[in-house]
Amino acid sequence: MANIACFVEGYNFTDQREEKALQNFKRTAEQMGHNFDFMYRENISDIPKYDAVFIRATTDPLFTSYIVSKTADELGLKVIDDPESIQICGNKIHQYALFKKHAIPHIPTIFVNKTDIHRRCLMGIFRELGKPVVIKAPYTSFSRYVEKAACETSFREVAKRFFRKSDILAVQAFMPTAYDWRVGVLDGKVLYVCKYMIPKGRWKHGAKLRGKPTFIWGRTVSMKRENAPATLKELALKACNVIGHGLYGVDVKEANGKYVVVEVNDNPSIYAGYEDLRDKDLYGKIIEYLTD
Amino acid sequence: MFWAEHFQRFVRFRFLYQLIDSKLNKRIQLILNMQAVIPNQPSHGVTWVLVVSNIDLTTNLPTMEPETFLQSTIKDAVINISHDYRYMKIGYYVSMHAEILGDTVIPSSKSIIEANRTPILLLKASKAGIPILPYLVTSSVKQIMSELTFPLVSFAVNPFSYDGYRIATNRSSLYRAVKSLSMNYKFAVCAQPLKGEMVSVKSIFGKCEAPEAVKRVSEKVYEVFKIPLCKLHVQNVGSEILLCGLQPLKKEEVLPEDLRTISEKISELSKTGGMPIG
């Protein structure tokens, strides 16, 4: 019997689908004969009491979740997400540099720093990537801090905002599609596959309504992992291989019959009735990995 | 008249483009020169290192601007000198880029993240035998009061604050400190008991102008994290020096005499036959 701590924050329980998924993890672990406790920020000092840590709170090297991950890792505990994965997936510049190095097919990307924001460079970017371009802050998650720019003025405006936190930004070619593939990968094996549909009239899965604080999300269409295209699964596994052997959600775009990686996310969303709809065994597989 | 104006404007822009072009060519030439002067194999017992610095150093070794290095594909040993090694700042990206190229680099991107997160700094330091005090990571004032006793020193563990600490001697000052450092309880803080006097020292390659006991802690911190320039916060508890935190330096805190020390240390590292990468 293993003691598993699931690090969560209050917001993990605000969405019923996520809360249900967390309860599914707890029930599955208990059915497998393990102890599964939710651990909050106030209980971080209890980490040494556990055998494994499963992080469900949003990860970033600057968030408390990284401290939980690193502490667990230093103490020799099995941890999802491990600190290396958080470091690479939490910084898209790091991730795309690795994709370039290992020749992983990904959306054409150019890195820009503050000294590159001048007319000639911007014209060069538009010439190379076309118009509009997508400007991505390295710390993007849940479709936030990813914006389109079709002219120099809007490019400068977006870049100025994103440069407040990071000295380098990623600029990518705009590839509109009806959906993005999401491939869930655990320890080098495909866990689930689904399609994240893009809401009508939008270009990303999660979009903010103009003038309102609410976010609207596209539908999630699940399919059995066996039925997903083999080339898609191969590409997702190849992309994860350069990052690590943890739990990842790989976003892939399909254009003209070719697949390109959009990004690899650590701490992928798992909502009851969505990602788990066709592959119910994902809960058991994650618990098995943690207790192995 | 209209065409004459346009022609003049065209000539002016053309001149401007040529000027920018020549500057770019010079930049490319600099990179090519760098590759030529930095051999991959050490010769005559001297290991060449490339110094990437956003500070104007007085060193004979090849030095490169961070922005130039980020465009390059130089494969060598790299010393990344920056007053500010914060995550996602240019100092961090230089180390990250060097690692992706397969270069050995001081400091590593991992060390940069770890050293700037107080609880991880303390955890790794204690594992390496550096004396520390018990600490608590939380955003709950009640928990701090139940587990630690006043006076207390608190460090921020949020994505935005990197500098300083707050001392709390009573309940209300602790509430104020935690509210401010945790950004209205949104993030955690790292609280430690305050047993002695807080001392802050500037550490340059582990060297600092301080009593012997502080120097020893500074050297050990450098051994573990390899952060060339930083400010260390320690507690002087009688005969013992306890590590409390680390923060980046401000540019104005790097004095001319520090530049000499940095240059000497870089020359020393390159002459001793390599870099002690941890």
Side-chain angles (χ1 to χ4, degrees):
Chain A
M1 191 192 94
N3 282 322
I4 306 165
C6 180
F7 179 68
V8 285
E9 300 261 18
Y11 56 75
N12 290 112
F13 294 94
T14 51
D15 190 311
Q16 278 186 353
R17 299 165 302 166
E18 191 177 10
E19 188 186 355
K20 204 174 167 196
L22 289 169
Q23 295 302 342
N24 285 346
F25 274 115
K26 189 174 168 64
R27 198 173 46 249
T28 310
E30 284 166 355
Q31 279 168 0
M32 290 166 80
H34 307 296
N35 182 37
F36 190 96
D37 295 333
F38 291 116
M39 182 175 70
Y40 293 85
R41 204 186 289 164
E42 285 68 36
N43 315 109
I44 290 176
S45 47
D46 293 339
I47 292 175
K49 293 178 192 165
Y50 292 93
D51 304 305
V53 176
F54 181 37
I55 299 171
R56 285 282 79 199
T58 309
T59 51
D60 186 288
L62 297 177
F63 291 175
T64 315
S65 51
Y66 183 77
I67 288 159
V68 172
S69 172
K70 189 71 199 173
T71 308
D73 189 61
E74 285 287 327
L75 294 171
L77 272 59
K78 195 122 185 199
V79 58
I80 292 178
D81 305 286
D82 61 281
E84 282 76 23
S85 296
I86 297 177
Q87 191 188 343
I88 298 169
C89 296
N91 191 315
K92 299 297 180 274
I93 304 295
H94 198 157
Q95 193 173 105
Y96 292 127
L98 280 173
F99 289 167
K100 271 184 194 174
K101 185 183 175 181
H102 296 280
I104 306 289
H106 62 284
I107 297 185
T109 306
I110 294 173
F111 298 147
V112 290
N113 60 44
K114 285 174 185 169
T115 58
D116 294 328
I117 305 299
H118 54 79
R119 192 178 164 78
R120 196 180 180 211
C121 182
L122 299 188
M123 289 300 121
I125 289 169
F126 284 130
R127 212 170 22 248
E128 200 174 325
L129 301 177
K131 275 184 185 178
V133 291
V134 173
I135 308 172
K136 201 176 248 189
Y139 45 89
T140 166
S141 66
F142 297 104
S143 302
R144 285 170 303 176
Y145 310 111
V146 183
E147 289 186 28
K148 247 185 340 182
C151 64
E152 198 188 323
T153 316
S154 59
F155 192 109
R156 282 176 191 271
E157 188 269 317
V158 175
K160 192 181 169 190
R161 268 188 286 123
F162 290 174
F163 274 136
R164 280 184 208 144
K165 259 180 96 175
S166 174
D167 282 351
I168 302 184
L169 307 177
V171 183
Q172 298 185 315
F174 178 58
M175 289 176 74
T177 48
Y179 60 86
D180 281 357
W181 286 99
R182 165 57 69 99
V183 184
V185 174
L186 174 70
D187 194 22
K189 291 178 196 85
V190 175
L191 202 59
Y192 62 88
V193 179
C194 51
K195 286 176 184 175
Y196 283 165
M197 308 304 288
I198 311 293
K200 205 175 173 187
R202 312 280 159 171
W203 59 279
K204 11 181 216 182
H205 179 55
K208 199 170 165 281
L209 287 174
R210 196 179 287 268
K212 288 182 182 171
T214 43
F215 242 69
I216 51 160
W217 296 94
R219 285 182 305 123
T220 300
V221 179
S222 310
M223 65 161 64
K224 272 190 171 278
R225 55 179 174 254
E226 295 83 18
N227 298 341
T231 41
L232 166 76
K233 290 189 276 187
E234 264 170 43
L235 177 64
L237 294 179
K238 210 172 147 189
C240 292
N241 224 15
V242 302
I243 294 168
H245 296 280
L247 174 66
Y248 308 105
V250 188
D251 290 341
V252 178
K253 271 193 190 289
E254 187 183 353
N256 307 323
K258 284 185 179 171
Y259 294 104
V260 283
V261 176
V262 179
E263 60 186 39
V264 177
N265 301 284
D266 62 327
N267 202 285
S269 311
I270 297 174
Y271 289 169
Y274 290 77
E275 283 81 0
D276 66 349
L277 193 65
R278 307 280 169 199
D279 293 298
K280 296 272 183 208
D281 60 349
L282 72 85
Y283 297 105
K285 282 185 185 283
I286 292 171
I287 300 296
E288 204 176 283
Y289 175 80
L290 284 165
T291 53
D292 188 14
Chain B
M1 196 61 189
F2 173 79
W3 288 110
E5 261 181 35
H6 269 271
F7 180 70
Q8 271 184 349
R9 197 180 287 174
F10 169 73
V11 170
R12 220 180 301 143
F13 274 119
R14 205 185 148 90
F15 171 72
L16 203 67
Y17 279 137
Q18 277 173 350
L19 193 77
I20 295 167
D21 251 346
S22 71
K23 278 189 176 175
L24 268 174
N25 285 338
K26 272 183 191 168
R27 212 170 169 189
I28 293 162
Q29 197 54 50
L30 173 80
I31 297 168
L32 293 174
N33 288 344
M34 285 292 181
Q35 282 170 322
V37 295
I38 308 163
N40 283 325
Q41 294 298 319
S43 58
H44 313 295
V46 176
T47 300
W48 284 95
V49 291
L50 172 64
V51 182
V52 180
S53 173
N54 65 354
I55 303 168
D56 197 9
L57 299 171
T58 52
T59 174
N60 296 327
L61 287 162
T63 308
M64 198 182 262
E65 289 275 325
E67 286 80 8
T68 315
F69 176 70
L70 291 171
Q71 308 284 334
S72 75
T73 52
I74 297 170
K75 282 197 184 293
D76 223 294
V78 175
I79 300 181
N80 171 17
I81 302 292
S82 173
H83 65 283
D84 184 359
Y85 290 105
R86 278 181 297 163
Y87 175 63
M88 288 200 287
K89 295 293 164 194
I90 208 87
Y92 171 80
Y93 285 119
V94 166
S95 289
M96 186 207 85
H97 182 66
E99 284 164 4
I100 291 201
L101 292 174
D103 298 350
T104 47
V105 60
I106 283 181
S108 69
S109 60
K110 202 170 140 190
S111 292
I112 291 175
I113 297 177
E114 288 171 359
N116 282 301
R117 306 276 88 194
T118 309
I120 302 169
L121 171 91
L122 298 177
L123 178 73
K124 287 204 81 173
S126 72
K127 274 183 97 176
I130 300 168
I132 61 157
L133 282 156
Y135 61 92
L136 189 64
V137 183
T138 183
S139 54
S140 159
V141 175
K142 279 181 187 164
Q143 194 189 0
I144 297 172
M145 286 197 297
S146 68
E147 294 187 32
L148 302 171
T149 50
F150 287 113
L152 296 161
V153 59
S154 305
F155 288 83
V157 189
N158 69 52
F160 309 99
S161 322
Y162 281 86
D163 53 339
Y165 51 82
R166 297 279 290 263
I167 291 172
T169 49
N170 54 38
R171 194 186 143 108
S172 59
S173 61
L174 181 63
Y175 265 105
R176 277 199 301 275
V178 174
K179 190 176 164 91
S180 149
L181 294 173
S182 68
M183 308 186 83
N184 229 356
Y185 311 107
K186 200 177 163 200
F187 298 98
V189 301
C190 179
Q192 303 165 50
L194 181 65
K195 302 268 183 198
E197 181 200 359
M198 286 297 292
V199 179
S200 299
V201 291
K202 187 164 52 183
S203 167
I204 299 172
F205 285 97
K207 307 267 176 243
C208 63
E209 296 286 323
E212 207 51 47
V214 181
K215 276 183 185 170
R216 274 199 298 276
V217 169
S218 170
E219 279 167 13
K220 272 193 162 181
V221 171
Y222 179 70
E223 266 173 41
V224 178
F225 296 99
K226 298 275 182 301
I227 305 288
L229 304 178
C230 62
K231 189 189 269 184
L232 293 178
H233 299 296
V234 295
Q235 270 192 55
N236 188 352
V237 187
S239 58
E240 207 176 10
I241 299 294
L242 305 152
L243 178 68
C244 287
L246 181 150
Q247 74 171 67
L249 289 173
K250 290 192 180 91
K251 202 158 193 171
E252 56 271 22
E253 285 179 299
V254 184
L255 306 172
E257 52 265 38
D258 298 331
L259 296 182
R260 272 195 299 279
T261 317
I262 297 165
S263 301
E264 281 166 19
K265 190 68 194 173
I266 292 168
S267 306
E268 198 184 297
L269 282 173
S270 65
K271 278 175 191 161
T272 49
M275 299 200 302
I277 303 287

